[in-house]
Amino acid sequence: MKNSNILKITHIDYSILALVRQTPMSGYGIRMVFQKTALGNYSGSPGTIYPALKRLEKIGVIEKKKHSNPKKQFLFAITKTGIEVLKKWLMRPISAQDVTKNLTIIILRFAFMDGSLTQRQKRNFLVSFRIAVKNYIVALEEYYVKESKRMPLSGRQAFEYGIESYKTTLKWIQKTISS
Amino acid sequence: MKNSNILKITHIDYSILALVRQTPMSGYGIRMVFQKTALGNYSGSPGTIYPALKRLEKIGVIEKKKHSNPKKQFLFAITKTGIEVLKKWLMRPISAQDVTKNLTIIILRFAFMDGSLTQRQKRNFLVSFRIAVKNYIVALEEYYVKESKRMPLSGRQAFEYGIESYKTTLKWIQKTISS
DNA sequence: GTCGACATGTAAATTGTTACATGATTTA
DNA sequence: TAAATCATGTAACAATTTACATGTCGAC
């Protein structure tokens, strides 16, 4: 059962979609933003951006618009359906997987929320993020209690780093909720 | 210019190599370790582990050994060249790239150092890690001073999260050096 | 005797990055 | 007029995951 006709939107695609929601941009302009800001740590190389733009245009979430200066390249702008698709991505429930494997994506989503989500929706996102992180910290600490004796010192210290990192995340969530 | 004859050792390969250095293990045993400990967040699925073991055996850094119980599967053990290869990986200089894109790999390397590196080598590693992280924090803060006005609130907050994360890393390095 | 743990493997898909290729336009 | 910047694109590679496929062995 291959979903060969369903075009999946990848994380990079969503990042680009979120970007052109803020300001319509040319492919080259998008590349420059990715390069200058290390946006989500994606490369911003042509091989990353242009195929993504093609995918996004194909499914109708962005469209080409003429630049006010007719000499310049056309710009990509988000469509109405694009706005809906973007919102859905931003509001997607946070899974346990997201917390362990895609933490940077969660943060990236948060970074793009202003202008697309309401204050209330942002808050809901942070609250469920907080629950997921809390749960994961508990799991990590339980594992640590059981297994730390069997670890070499450096292994133990590395594990402690993991726990401290997530505690920092938790503090940030807390601070951001109450701001 | 394709290096089609040079077999590259990937991060997963090194993780497995480091694991069998501690105790010889069967492929299945390795899978179970990856699944139970979320080692470096790799999946531990057959498609990940068995091809990696083949690569490692092919280049002679691990070898099959008979289990003491002849009914059981053979085990993979590290070879002498394997030990050298592992040490080289563990002591590899830390690049700026590593800090921004492969932080978890750096921590994973540290986790495996006991038993392979001397106290002095571990310390050197942490010291150069500290320098790289400090530099990156400075770069992040400089960027923030320049660009934060142009960011929406949530973008600013997400960026602050990044800075705080790296500060946590720095604190951990500091604590671990002086322990 | 069947169910779960033990055990190994491959093919295809996923998601990107690197490197190559090309050309227009501005600026010094 | 040469160099830098603007601009777009594809092919090949890389690293890993998912899903499929298969079989043994011990316990209940």
Side-chain angles (χ1 to χ4, degrees):
Chain A
M1 198 87 55
K2 320 242 168 73
N3 303 354
S4 44
N5 43 350
I6 296 178
L7 292 187
K8 207 190 158 190
I9 306 180
T10 69
H11 291 315
I12 279 197
D13 294 352
Y14 278 117
S15 306
I16 293 175
L17 188 59
L19 211 57
V20 300
R21 201 220 76 102
Q22 295 179 357
T23 343
M25 282 197 255
S26 69
Y28 184 77
I30 293 167
R31 295 219 301 113
M32 293 306 108
V33 171
F34 272 80
Q35 278 179 9
K36 278 177 202 143
T37 69
L39 215 162
N41 275 337
Y42 294 115
S43 88
S45 61
T48 302
I49 303 303
Y50 293 110
L53 286 170
K54 272 195 180 169
R55 287 194 294 273
L56 291 170
E57 205 186 357
K58 199 172 196 173
I59 60 175
V61 292
I62 62 172
E63 62 188 358
K64 283 177 191 166
K65 280 179 67 177
K66 288 250 188 289
H67 195 282
S68 50
N69 178 348
K71 284 251 174 148
K72 287 253 179 180
Q73 289 323 110
F74 50 76
L75 305 174
F76 286 101
I78 197 165
T79 62
K80 263 184 196 165
T81 59
I83 290 172
E84 291 315 305
V85 167
L86 176 60
K87 273 190 195 170
K88 253 188 201 156
W89 178 61
L90 293 174
M91 292 198 295
R92 226 180 242 178
I94 292 169
S95 69
Q97 254 246 49
D98 288 334
V99 171
T100 57
K101 302 220 179 196
N102 299 314
L103 199 62
T104 58
I105 302 293
I106 297 182
I107 301 296
L108 199 61
R109 278 166 62 194
F110 182 80
F112 281 126
M113 283 184 181
D114 275 348
S116 287
L117 298 193
T118 65
Q119 208 58 30
R120 190 190 160 81
Q121 286 168 327
K122 273 171 65 176
R123 199 196 139 81
N124 286 344
F125 176 86
L126 287 172
V127 168
S128 77
F129 187 20
R130 179 170 57 183
I131 292 170
V133 171
K134 270 187 184 168
N135 287 340
Y136 189 50
I137 290 174
V138 168
L140 286 174
E141 284 178 335
E142 275 173 7
Y143 183 86
Y144 187 77
V145 169
K146 267 191 232 152
E147 303 294 336
S148 65
K149 308 145 219 160
R150 259 166 283 180
M151 296 179 192
L153 173 61
S154 61
R156 222 151 52 225
Q157 288 170 323
F159 199 92
E160 285 164 12
Y161 172 73
I163 295 176
E164 278 167 45
S165 287
Y166 278 100
K167 283 189 176 167
T168 298
T169 304
L170 191 57
K171 270 184 213 156
W172 175 84
I173 297 169
Q174 198 55 59
K175 194 176 79 181
T176 308
I177 286 178
S178 57
S179 77
Chain B
M1 198 87 53
K2 320 242 167 73
N3 305 355
S4 44
N5 43 351
I6 295 178
L7 292 187
K8 207 189 157 189
I9 306 179
T10 70
H11 291 316
I12 279 197
D13 294 351
Y14 278 117
S15 305
I16 293 175
L17 188 60
L19 211 57
V20 302
R21 202 221 75 104
Q22 296 179 356
T23 342
M25 282 197 254
S26 70
Y28 185 76
I30 293 166
R31 297 218 301 111
M32 292 306 109
V33 172
F34 271 80
Q35 276 179 11
K36 277 176 202 142
T37 69
L39 215 162
N41 276 337
Y42 294 116
S43 89
S45 61
T48 302
I49 303 303
Y50 293 110
L53 286 169
K54 273 196 179 168
R55 286 194 295 271
L56 291 170
E57 206 188 355
K58 198 172 197 175
I59 59 174
V61 293
I62 62 172
E63 62 189 357
K64 283 177 190 164
K65 281 180 66 176
K66 289 250 187 283
H67 197 281
S68 50
N69 177 348
K71 284 249 175 150
K72 287 255 179 174
Q73 290 323 111
F74 51 76
L75 305 174
F76 286 102
I78 197 165
T79 62
K80 263 183 196 163
T81 58
I83 291 173
E84 291 315 307
V85 167
L86 176 60
K87 273 190 195 170
K88 252 187 203 159
W89 178 60
L90 294 175
M91 292 196 295
R92 226 181 242 179
I94 293 169
S95 68
Q97 255 246 47
D98 288 333
V99 172
T100 56
K101 302 222 179 192
N102 299 314
L103 200 61
T104 59
I105 302 294
I106 297 182
I107 302 296
L108 199 62
R109 278 166 63 193
F110 182 79
F112 281 127
M113 283 185 182
D114 274 348
S116 288
L117 298 192
T118 66
Q119 209 57 30
R120 189 191 159 81
Q121 285 167 328
K122 275 172 64 178
R123 200 196 136 81
N124 286 344
F125 176 86
L126 287 172
V127 168
S128 76
F129 187 20
R130 180 171 55 184
I131 292 169
V133 171
K134 271 186 184 168
N135 286 340
Y136 190 50
I137 292 175
V138 168
L140 285 174
E141 285 178 334
E142 275 173 7
Y143 183 86
Y144 186 77
V145 168
K146 265 192 234 151
E147 304 293 335
S148 66
K149 308 145 220 162
R150 259 165 283 180
M151 297 178 193
L153 173 61
S154 60
R156 222 152 51 223
Q157 288 170 323
F159 198 93
E160 285 163 14
Y161 172 74
I163 294 176
E164 278 167 46
S165 288
Y166 278 101
K167 283 189 177 166
T168 299
T169 305
L170 191 58
K171 270 184 211 156
W172 176 84
I173 297 169
Q174 198 55 59
K175 195 175 78 181
T176 308
I177 286 178
S178 57
S179 79

